[in-house]
Amino acid sequence: MKWGILSAGRIARRFAGALTASATEQVVAIAARDGERATAFAADFGIPRAYSNYTALLADPEVEAVYLALPNSLHAEWSIAALQAGKHVLCEKPMATTLADGLAMVAAAQANRRLLMEGFMYRFHPQTITVQRLLADGVIGEVQQVRGSFGFLLDDTTNIRLNADLGGGALYDIGCYPLSYARMVFGSQPRTASAFVNGAPIDFSLSGLLRFDGDRHATITCSFRSAWNQRVEIIGDAGWIHLERPFNPTSEQATSIAVARGGRHVTVETITIPPADHFQLEAEGFARLAAAGEPIPAIGAMPLTESLDNLAAMEALFTSAHTATHSVIRASAFVPEWPVGTLTTS
């Protein structure tokens, strides 16, 4: 598939670099509001065309799919514009900053019969797929709790992550990872949310409690004020699974999954996962789905139903944090009404 990239930022560079190793995916255009920056980006990665505005890239007839890595506040606007231009869209997380915007994006994808997916690259990593299969096989029994955390020290006061107008904040930037992981593990939308937040006008750190059906729970923490950390623990009634780097493992190093079986007296084994570039796997997997017009699977990809559920949960977490009450999560997925994943290319 031939890709265009909207943004010349750090994550866009990571995506472009991953595609240089792909036998099937090619970046043919880059757009940034700073034309010189776009030109330099194109030179670094051997990209044929550089544009100084996003609209020009969307008008490029060779571009089949757009990787959108703009600031969070621009995700909905430019995803919809790209879909209306007939492009498939892989939009970086979070897909939007409100559930209403997320639903509008899904509507645009359906109206224009193009594939839209939220760019949670970890969903394509063999580590994640292995965890999903272990859960499906009932290796740890019925999951009762999920605990997830992601944090690092952000001491650059000019960083875009601290800009409220551009959709900054810890939950949008990194908290969405443990939130989405919990949603993936339980396989359903959480029902209520409680949260504590530190910081204004953006959240520097947030701790949340999510209740799922069957009185099962997930706790998530995210922070720009902590030492670097990321972790997921999945606790069942017959064992547990621990991951030390669940969200962005490096492409050069193997990862490992600790799996305990046995309830009271557990036996622990370590499953080693060979190195993999999940950005490359994400682009290649997205392209296969777009070409085949197949439903987006829960294992090995990121379904839109889950993206909308996560947006609803984030809204509920913010509501709880700002009102000091439990918040009922909006039903994001009247989604069975959407023929999610049935999009075909024309």
Side-chain angles (χ1 to χ4, degrees), residues 118 120 179-180 183 302 306-314:
E118 185 176 17
F120 273 116
L179 171 63
S180 69
R183 167 63 180 79
M302 183 67 191
E306 293 190 33
S307 295
L308 295 176
D309 285 351
N310 290 333
L311 288 175
M314 285 194 285

Side-chain angles (χ1 to χ4, degrees), residues 59-71:
D60 188 325
E62 192 178 16
V63 172
E64 299 172 284
V66 167
Y67 175 66
L68 196 150
L70 299 172

Side-chain angles (χ1 to χ4, degrees), residues 6-39:
L6 295 187
S7 172
R10 179 187 60 83
I11 199 71
R13 297 185 70 85
R14 177 67 179 85
F15 184 82
L19 265 59
T20 61
S22 176
T24 60
E25 310 308 299
Q26 178 187 6
V27 181
V28 298
I30 167 70
R33 289 183 175 175
D34 182 336
E36 292 184 0
R37 194 177 183 197
T39 299

Side-chain angles (χ1 to χ4, degrees), residues 20 33 67 74 91 109 121 136 139 150 154 156 167 180 184 190 201 220 224 249 264 277 284 291 314:
T20 61
R33 289 183 175 175
Y67 175 66
L74 301 178
C91 178
M121 72 293 184
V139 167
F150 198 171
L154 179 59
D156 175 9
S180 69
M184 177 192 79
I220 66 165
F224 291 152
R264 182 185 293 269
D277 191 327
E284 292 172 348
M314 285 194 285

Side-chain angles (χ1 to χ4, degrees), residues 182-202:
R183 167 63 180 79
M184 177 192 79
V185 168
F186 283 118
S188 63
Q189 181 190 39
R191 298 303 179 188
T192 61
S194 301
F196 296 94
V197 67
N198 182 1
I202 61 99

Side-chain angles (χ1 to χ4, degrees), residues 125-127 249-256 272-278 281:
H125 197 286
Q127 176 179 241
T250 64
S251 57
E252 299 83 17
Q253 295 181 327
T255 56
S256 62
T272 300
I273 308 297
D277 191 327
H278 45 344
L281 295 172

Side-chain angles (χ1 to χ4, degrees), residues 4-312:
I5 298 178
L6 295 187
S7 172
R10 179 187 60 83
I11 199 71
R13 297 185 70 85
R14 177 67 179 85
F15 184 82
L19 265 59
T20 61
S22 176
T24 60
E25 310 308 299
Q26 178 187 6
V27 181
V28 298
I30 167 70
R33 289 183 175 175
D34 182 336
E36 292 184 0
R37 194 177 183 197
T39 299
F41 190 110
D44 288 344
F45 295 100
I47 299 171
R49 292 180 295 285
Y51 296 106
S52 59
N53 67 82
Y54 309 141
T55 302
L57 183 144
L58 298 185
D60 188 325
E62 192 178 16
V63 172
E64 299 172 284
V66 167
Y67 175 66
L68 196 150
L70 299 172
N72 297 337
S73 61
L74 301 178
H75 285 185
E77 174 187 353
W78 287 101
S79 289
I80 291 172
L83 292 163
Q84 291 174 339
K87 315 300 184 184
H88 302 291
V89 174
L90 177 60
C91 178
E92 258 305 320
K93 57 75 196 168
M95 190 168 79
T97 55
T98 67
L99 176 58
D101 279 349
L103 288 167
M105 294 164 70
V106 173
Q110 305 240 327
N112 294 281
R113 304 190 67 77
R114 289 295 179 269
L115 180 63
L116 168 68
M117 187 185 295
E118 185 176 17
F120 273 116
M121 72 293 184
Y122 80 86
R123 294 295 291 265
F124 291 82
H125 197 286
Q127 176 179 241
T128 307
I129 295 170
T130 300
V131 169
Q132 290 181 291
R133 288 174 176 161
L134 289 169
L135 295 173
D137 290 342
V139 167
I140 64 169
E142 183 179 10
V143 176
Q144 302 298 315
Q145 300 175 48
V146 176
R147 297 196 289 261
S149 64
F150 198 171
F152 62 90
L153 184 62
L154 179 59
D155 52 10
D156 175 9
T157 59
T158 65
N159 193 288
I160 191 175
R161 295 178 177 92
L162 302 180
N163 190 321
D165 293 336
L166 296 179
L171 181 59
Y172 286 147
D173 186 58
I174 51 178
C176 59
Y177 282 100
L179 171 63
S180 69
Y181 212 103
R183 167 63 180 79
M184 177 192 79
V185 168
F186 283 118
S188 63
Q189 181 190 39
R191 298 303 179 188
T192 61
S194 301
F196 296 94
V197 67
N198 182 1
I202 61 99
D203 53 307
F204 292 106
S205 29
L206 180 144
S207 296
L209 174 66
L210 301 161
R211 182 176 65 82
F212 291 78
D213 287 340
D215 285 328
R216 301 178 298 163
H217 298 84
T219 55
I220 66 165
T221 59
C222 56
S223 180
F224 291 152
R225 290 180 167 173
S226 70
W228 187 95
N229 71 96
Q230 59 173 275
R231 183 178 178 86
V232 164
E233 300 174 66
I234 307 167
I235 303 167
D237 55 16
W240 48 256
I241 295 171
H242 290 183
L243 299 102
E244 292 295 337
R245 190 157 184 158
F247 309 127
N248 66 345
T250 64
S251 57
E252 299 83 17
Q253 295 181 327
T255 56
S256 62
I257 304 168
V259 183
R261 299 175 172 87
R264 182 185 293 269
H265 302 289
V266 299
T267 301
V268 181
E269 70 168 309
T270 299
I271 301 173
T272 300
I273 308 297
D277 191 327
H278 45 344
F279 280 93
Q280 179 182 342
L281 295 172
E282 177 186 48
E284 292 172 348
F286 179 93
R288 286 193 298 271
L289 289 169
E294 295 175 351
I296 303 172
I299 296 180
M302 183 67 191
L304 284 174
T305 300
E306 293 190 33
S307 295
L308 295 176
D309 285 351
N310 290 333
L311 288 175

